[in-house]
Amino acid sequence: MLRKNALKIFVFFLIALTFQSCSSKKKNRRVVIWTNNSELVQYIELFNATHETKAVLVYKENPAASLPPQKNELLPDIVIAPYLKNRETSKNFESLDFLFDRKYLKADDFYSGLLKYGDIFFTIRLLPVSFNLPAIIFSKENRKFVQNDYTLTPENIFEISKNYTQRNSKGKLTKIGFSPLSSDDFIYTISRMKNTEYKESKKHLFTYNKENLSLSVDYLAKMTMLDSLSIAESNDFVYKYLSEVDTKRVLHERTLFAYTVSNEFFNLPPEQISKIDFRWFEDAGLIPVEDSIITMGISKTVSNFQESIEFISWFYDTDTQKKFLELKNNLTSDRIKFGIAGGFSAIKAVNEQVLPTYYKNLLSNIPKQGSIRLPDPKPVCWNEIKTEVIIPYIKESILSCTTEKDSETKKIKVTQNPVKSVEERFSAWRKQNPEIK
């Protein structure tokens, strides 16, 4: 809260300075930017120091939910935020095809899939800014268990973890390979990998594939029973030991693996990163990009069109983003440093040539253009729906499962017992959040 208030104070101070410095000019050259990403403050400071046009940052808790803007507020020229791609929000942005037609930007500089992500009704309205990827971490002391050099699949984790379980003389668990119940984000990612296909819906806000969600629960229940563990036993172990942060769990070798995301991993202190190895988490040859892709668009309320083009052209220049990283590297250690706007850049050259100079474990380990899988469009409130509806449903469904092993095939049969459905949970959530349309 203190940091957010400080950011708002800075924003108003920046606006005041901008108006003061430009008051003597015939035309006030500025570009108004809405965002919820505090890192943009650093970028705007750099832009303002090197350009006659001045950028004005307006902080919004959820910019996507603030569109269309109200007439009594400072209208945006540019919006930079996650969850801008959906039916209700996308219509608030201008076409950006001209940026490529007139050579302000080069399509080849971007990851092609990310660029297509901003394509809405056959025209580019949103430009990708940054993205994050899931990863599996483990102690370097346990490298002997991991033969894969680049990625791990759910099946790899299942197989590798089988023989890691240890018990004490009383039969109590002291180590396990991995438990899906230890990470909410992991169980959600598995459901995405299994094609549950969460996506926005005009009528119901979102839709999903019921059958594949059920298959995801089955899969996760079996994965929870690694090396003859029961679901209850695995859950008890999670409750007892896994309140530790992910890094401590793997460094103490309480678990072989832990799930994380790129921005969380690369923001760890260097002394911890030096003791940990990682592999990208993939399925069927594709690494699923996190839902919260940050994109940028020119608002239809734009009143400073040329200035917006000037900012965008500058922002996507490789040398500019190199300067961003140089500036962040010189900041004190308590500031977020990883990548561009908290993630990998949408510009290939920045990830391939610049980021590895700051993060040595990215050398030869940058995801290739065709190796990432983009998420479907989500409603602006998706993070809340995921956290308060989807994940609780999956966890409760796993814990409700009963299992038995076939005496002949040795395969585990999972029976899901009834729990409150996604629809029931979502209906209750909407009643608690009547402002969500």
Side-chain angles (χ1 to χ4, degrees), residues 112-306:
S112 59
L114 285 172
L115 199 56
K116 289 177 183 176
Y117 180 79
D119 189 307
I120 300 159
F121 300 121
F122 309 105
T123 184
I124 294 175
R125 296 187 185 274
L126 296 169
L127 296 171
V129 173
S130 67
F131 64 99
N132 279 291
L133 299 172
I136 302 297
I137 59 172
F138 53 94
S139 168
K140 287 183 177 178
E141 297 294 320
N142 283 325
R143 274 179 173 166
K144 59 183 178 290
F145 290 98
V146 183
Q147 304 302 314
N148 312 58
D149 293 330
Y150 181 64
T151 62
L152 285 171
T153 67
E155 287 71 24
N156 293 149
I157 295 171
F158 192 95
E159 291 301 318
I160 296 169
S161 297
K162 276 183 178 179
N163 301 313
Y164 190 79
T165 302
Q166 288 188 16
R167 300 174 185 270
N168 62 20
S169 58
K170 296 180 179 179
K172 297 293 185 181
L173 285 171
T174 57
K175 292 183 178 183
I176 63 173
F178 180 75
S179 173
L181 295 171
S182 66
S183 171
D184 290 353
D185 288 333
F186 178 85
I187 62 177
Y188 171 72
T189 300
I190 287 290
S191 73
R192 283 186 59 201
M193 286 178 164
K194 299 302 178 184
N195 297 316
T196 299
E197 298 177 336
Y198 307 105
K199 60 182 69 174
E200 65 161 340
S201 165
K202 187 174 182 180
K203 185 176 180 181
H204 303 291
L205 203 58
F206 80 99
T207 61
Y208 68 102
N209 186 310
K210 264 188 181 180
E211 183 179 350
N212 287 349
L213 181 57
S214 179
L215 291 174
S216 301
V217 171
D218 274 17
Y219 185 86
L220 286 161
K222 291 174 183 176
M223 200 174 190
T224 303
M225 300 174 63
L226 286 171
D227 205 14
S228 301
L229 297 178
S230 69
I231 291 175
E233 194 174 26
S234 181
N235 188 50
D236 288 344
F237 186 84
V238 168
Y239 182 80
K240 185 175 182 180
Y241 293 111
L242 302 189
S243 58
E244 292 181 308
V245 296
D246 296 335
T247 49
K248 285 188 178 180
R249 292 209 306 270
V250 297
L251 289 175
H252 293 166
E253 300 186 30
R254 186 71 69 187
T255 63
L256 174 58
F257 296 122
Y259 177 89
T260 190
V261 183
S262 52
N263 59 324
E264 295 175 2
F265 177 65
F266 290 108
N267 281 325
L268 290 172
E271 60 271 19
Q272 289 190 26
I273 290 183
S274 66
K275 298 175 184 178
I276 296 173
D277 207 344
F278 79 97
R279 299 290 184 268
W280 299 119
F281 189 40
E282 62 100 348
D283 185 59
L286 295 174
I287 307 166
V289 176
E290 290 287 289
D291 290 322
S292 53
I293 299 172
I294 295 179
T295 57
M296 174 190 304
I298 295 180
S299 171
K300 286 189 174 179
T301 62
V302 62
S303 56
N304 302 287
F305 199 77
Q306 288 303 318

Side-chain angles (χ1 to χ4, degrees), residues 295-364:
T295 57
M296 174 190 304
I298 295 180
S299 171
K300 286 189 174 179
T301 62
V302 62
S303 56
N304 302 287
F305 199 77
Q306 288 303 318
E307 290 78 7
S308 297
I309 295 172
E310 182 182 3
F311 180 86
I312 291 172
S313 300
W314 170 83
F315 184 92
Y316 284 105
D317 184 83
T318 301
D319 287 337
T320 297
Q321 296 203 2
K322 184 177 180 181
K323 288 176 184 175
F324 293 165
L325 294 167
E326 288 171 355
L327 282 171
K328 289 204 291 183
N329 193 55
N330 293 328
L331 292 173
T332 54
S333 59
D334 64 336
R335 299 289 293 273
I336 294 175
K337 288 185 176 181
F338 172 68
I340 301 299
F344 285 107
S345 174
I347 302 297
K348 291 181 291 184
V350 175
N351 295 335
E352 295 168 357
Q353 300 168 21
V354 186
L355 271 180
T357 64
Y358 298 101
Y359 304 99
K360 302 301 181 186
N361 42 10
L362 282 176
L363 285 167
S364 303

